[in-house]
């Protein structure tokens, strides 16, 4: 404790010195108690005085032990904090003082011998220390010795953690008795020298020397708690040394992490391969682990061998897919097996089988498409619905096999059907259907002249529809003859003037048709005369780009008196 007060050392040394002092005090008290012989009982008065003296001794000794325990608890509390704390040591009759100690780590010392104490614990924040010097230096008087009828009890164990039931008791009363028979042991000076040597070796981290000295101490003083304590300190130092070695080994092992990962992936791939999980499940198959191993880009003969093994397994899966008539899946698996480096007669055989399967499959599809063209023509599905018409089946058949024997006749039949539909659409002014039919004709290889003629008819029809939809001023047409309307007599008599708006269609010969009155002012007076005059109109036919069109026009006939 004196060494701690002079200069606070590191946490480990502090814990070592505090625990060593406590155990040494316990050992000295045990030796002192063992040297006391029981005396005959005296009178009641003498016995009472002896008991009072013994109680004082016990109180002083207990105070010392409790002070040491409080010091250990304070060090434990300080070690849990990140900054220094103040530990206040108070003695009766002496001014308080405060020493600052660095944070330390609390450690529970090994089990020690029973210690008697009687003290009231009132201030858990401060360590109350009773100076044991008078009790230790005062000689033990025969009259004040412990009576022979007392017995040894244990109410407080040194090294108990703070907050244990023993420390929570407010007042602890125990009695000390001494064993009258003591076995002789080695000299205290020799043992002290030996213990000091062990402690020095531990502080210097010379663990082998400390272990050898402790082995020798176990023969000199086998029952000493101090030796047990030092042994536990040695075990703790050994454990720290093992942890350091393990951390060094872990750091050194990082350099070999890549080969270790590669070996792990190869092992996982082979495990999945043995289970038949070549391509599935996704992310946990043999091929997945192989690809991850390849991504490490580390040359390894085992990885090359694994590639061949997985390639052979993929090839087997491809053969099974081909047997199930899944030609496309078999082709994809064959390509994957070849990328893994498989080049064996099995690959050539599978390629031949796939070629034969593709050819047979193509013949079946061609025959089915040829039949489909005829069936769709009979149902009137020439170019509709999209994706399921006769034109779609015919074009697919041509893409699969341009030299299919029945292909020319199928094209001729489809073209004839489309030309008929186009003419009907144009004649019925169904311009959207006519445009779609003409596009289909171009797809099935109709002659360009026929397609162009149909497109011209379509353009003419769409333009004619536009001319008839919107009326134009009659002034856009050249007039051949305009008959003057007759002025109604009623209007003349009343001296009424007015006008009539007419809308009419000028046909391809320049004659009017579909004459309609669109408005008149005044209403019901001049309409008949205007209609009669419009029926006698004659215009030059409207012509555009060499084609004659019918044209809807609007005319206003005015009636005025001169």
């Amino acid at each position: 404790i004196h060494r701690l007060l002079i200069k606070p050392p590191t946490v480990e040394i502090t814990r070592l010195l505090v625990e060593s002092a406590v155990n040494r005090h316990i050992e000295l008290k045990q030796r002192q108690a063992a040297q006391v012989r029981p005396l005959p009982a005296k009178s009641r008065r003498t016995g009472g005085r002896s008991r009072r003296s013994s109680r004082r001794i016990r109180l002083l000794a207990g105070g010392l032990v409790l002070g040491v325990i409080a010091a250990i608890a304070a060090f434990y509390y300080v070690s849990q904090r990140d900054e220094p704390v103040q530990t206040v040591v108070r003695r009766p009759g002496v001014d308080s003082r405060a020493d600052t100690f660095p944070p330390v780590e609390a450690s529970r010392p090994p089990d020690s011998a029973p210690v008697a104490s009687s003290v009231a614990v009132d201030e858990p924040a401060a360590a109350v220390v009773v100076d044991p010097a008078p009790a230790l230096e005062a000689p033990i008087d025969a009259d004040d010795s412990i009576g022979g009828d007392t017995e040894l009890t244990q109410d407080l164990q040194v090294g108990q953690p703070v907050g244990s039931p023993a420390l929570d008791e407010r007042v602890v009363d125990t009695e000390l008795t001494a064993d009258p028979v003591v076995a002789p042991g080695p000299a205290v000076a020799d043992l002290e020298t030996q213990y000091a040597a062990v402690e020095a070796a531990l502080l210097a981290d010379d663990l082998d020397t400390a272990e050898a000295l402790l082995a020798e101490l176990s023969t000199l003083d086998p029952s000493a708690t101090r030796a047990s304590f030092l042994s536990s300190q040695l075990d703790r130092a050994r454990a720290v040394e093992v942890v350091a070695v393990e951390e060094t080994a872990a750091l050194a092992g990082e350099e070999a992490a890549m080969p270790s990962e590669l070996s792990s992936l190869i092992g996982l791939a082979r495990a999945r391969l043995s289970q038949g999980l070549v391509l599935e499940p996704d992310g946990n198959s043999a091929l997945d682990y192989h690809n991850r191993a390849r991504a490490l880009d580390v040359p390894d003969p085992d990885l090359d061998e694994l590639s061949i093994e997985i390639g052979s397994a993929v090839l087997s899966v491809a053969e099974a897919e081909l047997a199930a008539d899944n030609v496309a899946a078999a082709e994809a698996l064959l390509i994957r097996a070849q990328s893994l480096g498989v080049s064996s007669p099995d690959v050539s055989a599978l390629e031949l089988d796939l070629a034969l399967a593709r050819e047979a499959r193509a013949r079946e599809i061609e025959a089915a498409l040829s039949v489909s063209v005829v069936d769709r023509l009979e149902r009137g599905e020439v170019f509709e619905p999209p994706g399921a018409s006769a034109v779609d089946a015919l074009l697919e058949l041509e893409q699969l096999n341009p030299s299919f024997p029945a292909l020319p006749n199928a094209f001729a039949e489809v073209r004839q059907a489309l030309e008929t539909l186009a003419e009907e659409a144009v004649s019925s002014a169904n311009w959207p259907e006519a445009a779609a039919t003409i596009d289909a004709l171009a797809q099935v290889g109709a002659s360009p002249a026929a397609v162009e003629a149909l497109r011209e008819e379509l353009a003419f029809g769409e333009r004619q529809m536009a001319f008839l939809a919107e009326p134009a001023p009659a002034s856009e047409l050249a007039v051949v003859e305009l008959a003057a309307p007759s002025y109604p007599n009623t209007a003349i008599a009343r001296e009424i003037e007015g006008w009539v708006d007419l809308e009419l269609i000028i046909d391809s010969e320049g004659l009017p048709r579909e004459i309609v009155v669109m408005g008149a002012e005044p209403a019901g007076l001049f309409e008949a005369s205007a209609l009669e005059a419009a029926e006698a109109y004659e215009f030059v036919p409207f012509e555009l780009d060499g084609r004659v069109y019918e044209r809807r026009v609007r005319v206003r006939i005015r009636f005025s008196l001169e």
Side-chain angles (χ1 to χ4, degrees):
I1 299 300
H2 178 66
R3 292 175 61 182
L4 291 177
L5 296 177
I6 294 174
K7 182 179 180 182
T10 61
V11 175
E12 292 296 331
I13 299 176
T14 299
R15 180 171 56 242
L16 177 63
L17 292 174
V18 172
E19 294 178 353
S20 178
V22 172
N23 284 277
R24 183 57 177 164
H25 171 72
I26 294 171
E27 184 177 356
L28 291 175
K29 292 299 293 182
Q30 288 178 341
R31 292 178 180 274
Q32 184 182 17
Q35 295 174 3
V36 177
R37 299 292 183 177
L39 299 176
K42 295 186 178 182
S43 63
R44 181 181 303 271
R45 181 177 180 182
T46 305
R49 186 169 55 253
S50 300
R51 284 192 296 271
R52 286 194 300 271
S53 178
S54 299
R55 181 175 296 273
R56 286 195 301 271
I57 295 175
R58 290 198 299 271
L59 285 175
L60 293 175
L64 173 62
V65 173
L66 188 60
V68 173
I69 294 173
I72 296 175
F75 275 107
Y76 175 82
Y77 174 76
V78 172
S79 65
Q80 304 304 312
R81 301 183 56 182
D82 298 330
E83 59 184 10
V85 298
Q86 298 293 329
T87 300
V88 180
V89 181
R90 296 191 180 99
R91 288 188 175 88
V94 183
D95 293 338
S96 300
R97 61 173 182 171
D99 296 325
T100 301
F101 295 96
V104 298
E105 220 175 86
S107 174
R108 178 179 178 176
D111 293 340
S112 60
V115 178
S117 65
S118 176
V119 64
V121 181
D122 294 329
E123 297 180 4
V128 181
V129 180
V130 179
D131 194 352
L136 294 178
E137 294 175 1
I140 300 177
D141 186 39
D143 294 341
D144 293 337
S145 63
I146 301 172
D149 55 348
T150 61
E151 63 180 18
L152 181 64
T153 62
Q154 177 180 347
D155 288 338
L156 183 63
Q157 182 71 27
V158 174
Q160 283 181 314
V162 177
S164 65
L167 291 181
D168 288 340
E169 293 295 335
R170 287 302 179 182
V171 179
V172 181
D173 293 327
T174 61
E175 295 183 359
L176 291 176
T177 63
D179 189 355
V181 180
V182 179
V188 176
D190 295 339
L191 289 176
E192 183 62 30
T193 302
Q194 195 81 351
Y195 281 125
V198 174
E199 291 174 356
L202 286 174
L203 293 176
D205 289 334
D206 189 357
L207 304 184
D208 294 335
T209 302
E211 186 174 6
L213 293 173
L214 277 175
E216 184 178 351
L217 273 173
S218 63
T219 59
L220 298 176
D221 197 8
S223 62
T225 56
R226 189 176 182 185
S228 301
F229 164 71
L230 292 175
S231 179
S232 66
Q233 295 298 318
L234 176 63
D235 294 339
R236 184 183 303 169
R238 290 290 191 193
V240 172
E241 187 178 36
V242 170
V243 171
V245 172
E246 292 177 353
E247 290 178 352
T248 304
L251 292 175
E254 291 181 358
E255 299 178 358
M258 189 64 70
S260 174
E261 183 179 0
L262 177 64
S263 302
S264 176
L265 290 173
I266 292 175
L268 288 171
R270 284 207 165 92
R272 297 298 179 271
L273 195 61
S274 64
Q275 298 169 0
L277 304 176
V278 183
L279 303 172
E280 295 178 347
D282 188 23
N284 193 26
S285 64
L287 185 59
D288 291 325
Y289 288 117
H290 167 270
N291 293 338
R292 288 169 59 183
R294 280 293 183 195
L296 297 178
D297 196 19
V298 178
D300 191 278
D302 290 342
L303 184 57
D304 297 336
E305 183 180 351
L306 176 64
S307 299
I308 301 300
E309 294 175 6
I310 295 180
S312 300
V314 172
L315 194 64
S316 300
V317 178
E319 293 172 352
E321 292 290 345
L322 182 59
D325 201 23
N326 297 326
V327 179
E331 288 178 345
L333 290 172
L334 175 61
I335 294 173
R336 180 168 291 183
Q338 290 174 331
S339 67
L340 291 170
V342 178
S343 58
S344 63
D346 294 336
V347 174
S348 301
L350 182 59
E351 288 178 340
L352 180 60
D353 292 342
L354 279 173
L356 295 175
R358 283 192 294 268
E359 185 177 355
R361 182 63 175 165
R363 300 288 82 80
E364 294 176 1
I365 294 174
E366 291 167 3
L369 288 174
S370 178
V371 174
S372 178
V373 171
V374 177
D375 292 343
R376 291 172 181 178
L377 282 175
E378 292 178 354
R379 293 196 299 267
E381 299 172 349
V382 184
F383 67 95
E384 290 182 347
S389 64
V391 173
D392 294 324
L394 184 62
L395 295 177
E396 186 177 356
L397 177 60
E398 182 185 25
Q399 184 178 6
L400 287 176
N401 187 7
S403 60
F404 187 71
L407 198 60
N409 291 335
F411 267 106
E413 293 178 4
V414 170
R415 281 194 292 266
Q416 182 63 41
L418 287 172
E419 288 175 1
T420 302
L421 289 175
E423 292 172 358
E424 292 176 355
V426 170
S427 62
S428 62
N430 188 351
W431 313 121
E433 183 176 352
T437 307
I438 294 171
D439 291 340
L441 265 173
Q443 284 182 321
V444 297
S447 64
V451 173
E452 185 61 27
L454 288 173
R455 291 193 186 281
E456 289 179 359
E457 288 298 324
L458 176 62
F460 172 78
E462 291 177 341
R463 187 175 293 174
Q464 179 64 80
M465 180 178 289
F467 287 152
L468 294 177
E470 293 293 333
S475 59
E476 291 186 5
L477 301 178
V479 177
V480 175
E481 183 179 352
L482 287 178
S486 60
Y487 210 102
N489 294 327
T490 305
I492 294 174
R494 296 178 181 179
E495 296 183 353
I496 299 174
E497 296 181 344
W499 52 265
V500 177
D501 283 341
L502 300 177
E503 194 173 282
L504 62 157
I505 295 175
I506 307 301
D507 62 13
S508 58
E509 294 179 358
L511 301 177
R513 65 181 180 88
E514 298 182 12
I515 305 172
V516 179
V517 176
M518 302 302 295
E521 181 64 34
L525 185 58
F526 299 108
E527 286 90 335
S529 297
L531 288 173
E532 184 180 358
E535 289 178 354
Y537 285 172
E538 184 177 355
F539 293 89
V540 176
F542 180 73
E543 184 177 350
L544 182 65
D545 296 333
R547 302 291 299 265
V548 177
Y549 295 90
E550 293 184 342
R551 190 73 185 271
R552 183 181 295 274
V553 295
R554 174 172 288 186
V555 178
R556 170 169 284 192
I557 301 176
R558 295 185 178 276
F559 292 85
S560 60
L561 297 172
E562 296 180 354

